[in-house]
Amino acid sequence: MEEQIYYRPLWTCGRFNAKESVAIYYNLIDGMAYFFEDMSASIIGLILALPRNGSISVSKLSDVSNISENSIVPFMESLAEIGLLTSHFCTEEIVNEYRTKTKHSHTNSNSSTYTATKEDSAVELNDAELAYKERVGGVVGVMFELTYNCSEKCIHCYNIGATRNDEETSHRDIKDKLSLNDYIRIIDELYDEGVVKVCLSGGDPFSNKYVWNILDYLYSKDIAVDIFTNGQSIVGKEKLIADYFPRIVGLSLYSGVAIEHDNITRVKGSWNKTISVIDSLAALSVPMVLKCCVMLPNVKSYNTVTNVAKQYGLYVQYELNVTDSIDGDKCVSHYLRLNPELLEIVLRDPNTAVYVGNEVTLWGGMDINMDENTCRAGYNTFCITPNGDLIPCCAFHLHFGNLKLHHLRDILTDNPILEKWQHLKMSDYKECGTHEYCSFCSLCAGINYSEHGTPTKAAENNCYLAKVRHKLAQKMKYEQYDPLEGKSLQERLKELPTISVGRLQREFSQKEETY
């Protein structure tokens, strides 16, 4: 009888925890993660011990694991069916064949949209990652803000030092940035703490000269990688990206209309470049999500991003709570945020995570547990700034310590700021959760912190969206109000007047710094 041999594909990565007898295993071309426990986790651990393209026989697995071949064979066959094993050595031809197969399944999928509560939120954990986190704990996911520099100049950017017009001086480039040796050490320390997934963001991560070295090292460490980019600096380098098998690439696209996108990025031709990257990555079956902030300049055409997503079989993520700058600039909420009338129209778009309507539970609201913290950033997921500050997430700059100066384990141990945050409950917030409209709030503690210097005081930006959503739900429920006026969303948006916001300029307010 011929020996059954299986190979670990190039497009896989994962972790096995022997103490808890659990494993997480990624199919990176599919963008999927799978959780295993007990004996199946032990088998996954043996597979992950192989180098990529390494092979192992069923008999060898049986000998090492003390599990019968009759039990192992169907398990191995099931892994092969979902692309976690292959019966062939992965040549480039085999990889391309699998990419093509996956591309067709993506294109034919009925699911063409994806929504999440916050754009660029702290590293979001999927079901498999959550299951792994519950058993193992530690640091599961991290976002690296590799730089605040960027090849675009988006008028709504919340990063430190971003400009609002071409006459302002950019202060994106910061001092004391992490070196490549710093990144290598920090990644090693994160690995020791149990990390399974890293997101590379910015600014634009490809504005950091070390980004390719960092990608290479993360791939060698078997860590899954997400990339958030505008795509401008990777035109012609899409195959290089694909060969690192990112779990997902998030690309910023603000309209299906080129000029409206370019007016937001303030870079002529940026739409064409981003679309060309989307086209190339889609041809390589790289999982993608299109990310779009909805604001006054693109409110008429934002939903055309859905058309682009459908064309390529991609996900789209709309963000309605455009937020002010981390460094205190209030320009965005003052001049770019949708007024209540416009916001009500967009809230009727089922492709947004903050949709209001009788088709969803509580018309889009949710129950609030005052005995827990609704924000889970800074527990098992963190963000690391370009100079090495460890913070809860990219939107929440509460500093726990600096990784250029201290080791990760030292920062995580006996840290009063971290402990205070992790023990915070909704009942400790000064106002959040106490009003009827709070059930319609996608609470962002980071926005609270940016506005007031404390995560526990309600930010006007958070409350504004919650109040409009709550009022809309009440009007629709009790007054039969329809912001679409009986028309389709597309028809309603099309008849809106063209909105020009004019020249923007940064403006600051004083934080209270009470936390």
Side-chain angles (χ1 to χ4, degrees), residues 159-213:
N159 275 334
I160 293 169
T163 61
R164 306 300 173 205
N165 61 67
D166 290 337
E167 287 72 48
E168 289 178 339
T169 300
S170 173
H171 296 286
R172 286 177 173 270
D173 199 20
I174 63 173
K175 298 179 181 179
D176 300 321
K177 297 185 288 269
L178 295 173
S179 67
L180 179 57
N181 287 337
D182 289 327
Y183 281 112
I184 297 301
R185 173 183 59 80
I186 292 169
I187 291 169
D188 286 342
E189 292 182 7
L190 287 168
Y191 190 85
D192 290 342
E193 294 296 328
V195 76
V196 300
K197 182 175 70 178
V198 162
C199 177
L200 302 182
S201 184
D204 185 68
F206 293 94
S207 295
N208 184 313
K209 64 181 179 180
Y210 303 129
V211 62
W212 296 101
N213 306 87

Side-chain angles (χ1 to χ4, degrees), residues 55-74:
S55 64
I56 193 166
S57 67
V58 170
S59 61
K60 178 67 177 295
L61 276 173
S62 179
D63 290 342
V64 176
S65 65
N66 291 318
I67 303 173
S68 72
E69 291 189 30
N70 288 338
S71 297
I72 290 177
V73 168

